[in-house]
Amino acid sequence: MDVDTRHWIGGRRVANADTFEDVSPLDGEVIAVVSRGGTAEVDAAVAAAKDAFVGWSRTSPAERAELLRRVAAGIEARIEDLAQVETRDNGSLLRSHRRGVMPRVAMNIRFFADHLSSLVHSDFDTRGHRNHVTWDPAGVTAIVTPWNAPLMLATWRIGPALAAGNTVVAKPPEWAPLTASLFADIAHEAGLPAGVFNVVQGLGNEAGAPLVAHPDVRRICFTGSVPTSIKVGESAARNVTPVSFELGGKSPLLVFDDADLDLAVDLAVEQFDNSGQVCLAAVRMLVQDGIYDEFRARFLERAATLVQGDSRDEGVDLGPLVSKSHFERVDGFVKRAVAGGAEVILGGGPNDELNVATGGFYYRPTVFEGVDRTMEITCQEVFGPVLTLQGFSTEDDGIAMANDTDYGLAATIVTGSQERAERVASAVRAGTVWVNCFFVRDLSAPFGGSGRSGIGREGGTWSFDFYCDVKNSVFAPKGWN
Ligand code: NAD
């Protein structure tokens, strides 16, 4: 289907003479030629958002909620289009997009529209004075997102930002820029006023950098890698602009010897979802000694049955990596791990047969054993279908190994003991802990990372804390006419 690849600024399409090519990882074909924005387009988009903020910030929460519900309905009506375009663009599974991701995209908008009605704080008294707390809109919000779940991650910020009364300039990922453009069409058709939502397409250093450095931007929401976050943080600091950072991870899967092994194996195999291109993936499998051998055998048996292929086929479990350069980056990690003495017990390289047949960027599910804490493969985020397997003896050893990382996005614990689950959940450093489950996400729950996995929490009221300027007005009991 046709997607408009120009920017969306102030309620109209704006083209650039400069463009970049958008390549599908399914087959290496160029699927779109996209406008390549820079400072001029960013300035125009921020100016449009600043103008639109005057009116949008004055609409009542009920009016905003009504409009955003229309946007959510527009998304629901186009789930199939969005799913098809996203799969072609970033290579993630079509069935996941159809059944999970795109319905969640609509929910990202609807949930925060609905949540507005619960954003009230009771007035309270200080020596006869009335304290009145309000969530005031903050202003122009920059939303910069990565390619692994482009529209889902963007709308998870666009929803609360718009609901709060802010206006938005979004910079989609250059490796998967298309669904942001479809979202602009849907929001426009739903009646969102011109300038309330804007898209500047382009590369990170050309379009993202001027956006996060812009002095009229009042909030920066960045999802991406740690190295980029450091640059974004430096720009934000110059303008004292508040940031929300959702960054990488190196999360543990802690399997104790009292665990249900079927469940543990299911959860371990799930870590190959989206070809491992998931920030939350529990890529460090830590398994207690008493069940290590049995877990290893059963996990490898199951992982060997995963089907890799075209992400549009129902029976496929793993698609490609998002781009040629990311494929090479993942391969570099694997090669260096092998050179450093890690032992490959599954996969260990590209799926050459599939790559030759399709022209795509497929990498085989890979598992390493014989690794230790000093190796790059156990410390750095690979962001591909690459897991490590290590044993541990006592509960304290397991906790220490789980926490032996600079990151702290998530941790998954598998155990049959509720007491142990409570102890370990409280001892691991992570923004989200899952016990005997994985990826259960509620939009009202706080979400974010500890350590180098991020700054801040979003979800429910936490999102409004970030996107709003929370104000306390104190009214004296006297002085009224
Ligand atoms: P990235 O940091 O390279 O890019 C992210 C976005 O930032 C892109 O839109 C890019 O164009 C833009 N960008 C690049 N340089 C910029 C600059 N100087 N100024 C402003 N913007 C700039 O990350 P990526 O490779 O696209 O995504 C993968 C990373 O995202 C992984 O580390 C992954 O863990 C992380 N991630 C985190 C979460 C989370 O919720 N914690 C979710 C998904 C992905």
Side-chain angles (χ1 to χ4, degrees):
M1 70 164 299
D2 276 349
V3 179
D4 198 317
T5 55
R6 295 171 294 173
H7 314 294
W8 174 252
I9 298 174
R12 59 189 191 89
R13 291 287 171 184
V14 176
N16 259 108
D18 275 353
T19 55
F20 65 94
E21 288 185 341
D22 180 21
V23 172
S24 174
L26 299 179
D27 50 20
E29 277 181 20
V30 175
I31 53 169
V33 176
V34 183
S35 282
R36 179 169 169 171
T39 305
E41 290 72 29
V42 165
D43 286 349
V46 173
K50 192 177 171 187
D51 283 352
F53 179 72
V54 177
W56 182 245
S57 60
R58 286 184 192 149
T59 54
S60 70
E63 280 172 85
R64 290 201 295 276
E66 186 47 39
L67 230 166
L68 290 174
R69 286 190 197 106
R70 288 215 292 275
V71 175
I75 294 165
E76 279 154 357
R78 295 195 66 184
I79 280 180
E80 182 61 20
D81 288 346
L82 292 165
Q84 291 279 356
V85 168
E86 198 87 292
T87 290
R88 191 88 177 95
D89 209 2
N90 82 341
S92 301
L93 295 186
L94 182 60
R95 64 177 148 91
S96 310
H97 282 150
R98 276 181 178 147
R99 289 176 213 146
V101 177
M102 294 308 165
R104 159 75 191 273
V105 164
M107 186 51 89
N108 282 342
I109 304 295
R110 192 184 300 284
F111 172 87
F112 289 102
D114 292 346
H115 197 77
L116 276 177
S117 60
S118 60
L119 259 195
V120 281
H121 195 296
S122 304
D123 289 357
F124 58 100
D125 177 87
T126 305
R127 296 187 304 278
H129 295 61
R130 178 169 64 91
N131 292 266
H132 180 63
V133 176
T134 50
W135 273 265
D136 294 358
V140 178
T141 301
I143 296 182
V144 182
T145 38
W147 42 263
N148 61 320
L151 192 58
M152 205 282 289
L153 292 168
T155 49
W156 146 246
R157 282 62 188 230
I158 294 167
L162 294 181
N166 295 354
T167 54
V168 167
V169 180
K171 208 300 277 171
E174 52 269 48
W175 286 345
L178 299 182
T179 47
S181 189
L182 290 178
F183 178 82
D185 292 339
I186 291 168
H188 175 61
E189 283 157 20
L192 207 67
V196 170
F197 176 71
N198 306 273
V199 178
V200 178
Q201 300 283 11
L203 311 189
N205 56 348
E206 295 175 0
L211 176 59
V212 298
H214 202 294
D216 287 338
V217 165
R218 295 283 182 254
R219 291 291 186 275
I220 297 168
C221 177
F222 172 78
T223 311
S225 64
V226 172
T228 309
S229 77
I230 293 168
K231 293 185 201 164
V232 173
E234 284 168 357
S235 293
R238 276 185 217 111
N239 295 319
V240 200
T241 311
V243 295
S244 167
F245 282 170
E246 293 198 356
L247 311 177
K250 195 75 184 171
S251 301
L253 174 77
L254 263 172
V255 184
F256 289 94
D257 58 9
D258 53 10
D260 172 342
L261 264 192
D262 290 332
L263 174 67
V265 169
D266 283 349
L267 294 174
V269 172
E270 235 181 292
Q271 308 312 319
F272 289 120
D273 274 5
N274 207 16
S275 290
Q277 302 167 119
V278 177
C279 55
L280 294 159
V283 290
R284 290 184 299 134
M285 297 186 288
L286 309 174
V287 181
Q288 200 160 16
D289 291 341
I291 51 157
Y292 186 93
D293 291 340
E294 194 182 346
F295 172 88
R296 181 188 189 279
R298 285 165 65 170
F299 165 69
L300 288 178
E301 193 183 332
R302 274 284 303 286
T305 67
L306 290 171
V307 178
Q308 190 159 40
D310 189 316
S311 308
R312 292 167 293 196
D313 295 345
E314 272 289 313
V316 160
D317 301 305
L318 262 93
L321 294 175
V322 70
S323 70
K324 182 104 193 330
S325 63
H326 187 58
F327 171 92
E328 283 162 1
R329 182 177 174 277
V330 169
D331 196 39
F333 274 108
V334 170
K335 287 197 168 113
R336 288 191 297 278
V338 171
E343 190 193 337
V344 174
I345 55 171
L346 184 78
N351 189 329
D352 290 328
E353 203 181 323
L354 200 51
N355 292 335
V356 169
T358 63
F361 316 125
Y362 297 85
Y363 207 88
R364 285 186 288 155
T366 294
V367 181
F368 284 108
E369 205 177 34
V371 295
D372 68 46
R373 62 183 302 279
T374 64
M375 291 176 163
E376 180 194 59
I377 198 72
T378 57
C379 303
Q380 302 285 321
E381 185 185 46
V382 177
F383 221 55
V386 180
L387 311 181
T388 55
L389 178 60
Q390 292 169 274
F392 67 88
S393 53
T394 65
E395 185 179 304
D396 283 348
D397 289 341
I399 292 167
M401 286 172 78
N403 285 341
D404 191 14
T405 169
D406 293 337
Y407 293 104
L409 194 55
T412 301
I413 301 165
V414 198
T415 173
S417 154
Q418 192 170 352
E419 293 77 31
R420 169 173 272 164
E422 308 277 355
R423 274 196 309 272
V424 179
S426 116
V428 290
R429 189 178 70 153
T432 300
V433 178
W434 283 294
V435 180
N436 294 335
C437 60
F438 180 66
F439 226 98
V440 179
R441 290 263 293 112
D442 189 310
L443 291 177
S444 60
F447 178 83
S450 305
R452 286 165 79 87
S453 288
I455 295 176
R457 295 291 181 272
E458 293 190 51
T461 304
W462 288 273
S463 292
F464 289 99
D465 278 344
F466 176 68
Y467 292 106
C468 295
D469 279 329
V470 179
K471 182 196 285 170
N472 183 31
S473 303
V474 184
F475 295 82
K478 56 194 177 193
W480 311 116
N481 290 325

